[in-house]
């Protein structure tokens, strides 16, 4: 087996790790994240993916969707190894019945007060996932992990952030702990 096939993307590990840690939790719809790129430009990109699931909070059923997508309209980045990548963005949407409770697109620049500037310079959004472990501690809000990092599949340089979304749509961000 080629070594390249044995290596797993850091983004996949981080976006799926909270699900894998507790096999009793429902598994959202998921797609695999791998690299793709442009033959014409030589710029690489993380493969887009979407996670969807339903969550009950306060006796009400909510649907959430998390998406990681590369954005060719933004300037590309050069990672620490010298490879060029398209920037990625994270979109999180929460609905109750037919009402949008929360919908926001996050770019790495939205996170600059939480991530060191030097790290942010050579990084992009590399993952997003619902944090089932945190939900077990607090069933009054939605918890997501948004990960900024080096998009290279062999790198473990990442900075995970916890997004807490209240049922009224207000939110807060902080560095994720106890993953």
């Amino acid at each position: 087996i080629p070594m390249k096939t044995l290596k797993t993307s850091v983004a996949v590990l981080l976006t799926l790790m909270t699900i894998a840690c507790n096999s009793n939790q429902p598994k959202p719809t998921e797609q695999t994240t791998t690299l793709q790129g442009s033959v014409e430009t030589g710029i690489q990109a993380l493969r887009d993916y979407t996670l969807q699931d339903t969550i009950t909070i306060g006796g009400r059923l909510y649907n959430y969707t998390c998406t990681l997508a590369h954005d060719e309209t933004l300037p590309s980045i050069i990672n620490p190894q010298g490879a060029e990548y398209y920037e990625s963005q994270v979109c999180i949407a929460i609905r109750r019945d037919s009402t949008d409770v929360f919908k926001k697109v996050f770019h790495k620049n939205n996170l600059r007060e939480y991530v060191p500037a030097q790290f942010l310079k050579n990084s992009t959004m590399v993952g997003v996932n619902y944090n089932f472990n945190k939900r077990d501690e607090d069933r009054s809000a939605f918890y997501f992990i948004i990960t900024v990092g080096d998009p290279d599949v062999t790198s473990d340089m990442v900075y995970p952030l916890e997004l807490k979304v209240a049922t009224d749509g207000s939110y807060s961000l902080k560095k994720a702990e106890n993953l």
Side-chain angles (χ1 to χ4, degrees), residues 14 17 145-148 158-162 174-177 179:
L14 288 172
M17 105 178 125
I145 300 297
I146 298 174
T147 308
V148 178
V158 294
Y159 204 94
L161 298 167
E162 178 184 274
K174 69 177 188 174
K175 183 178 177 184
E177 298 175 9
L179 295 176

Side-chain angles (χ1 to χ4, degrees), residues 36-56:
Q36 59 188 17
S38 168
V39 175
E40 299 83 37
T41 64
I43 302 173
Q44 300 178 63
L46 293 175
R47 187 167 307 252
D48 302 347
Y49 70 89
T50 298
L51 303 174
Q52 298 177 310
D53 203 0
T54 56
I55 300 291
T56 300

Side-chain angles (χ1 to χ4, degrees), residues 6-21 33 49 126-127 129 147 153 155-156 158:
L6 296 175
K7 294 183 181 178
T8 305
S9 169
V10 171
V12 170
L13 290 175
L14 288 172
T15 59
L16 299 177
M17 105 178 125
T18 56
I19 295 170
C21 289
T33 300
Y49 70 89
V126 295
N129 193 18
T147 308
V153 296
S155 175
D156 61 357
V158 294

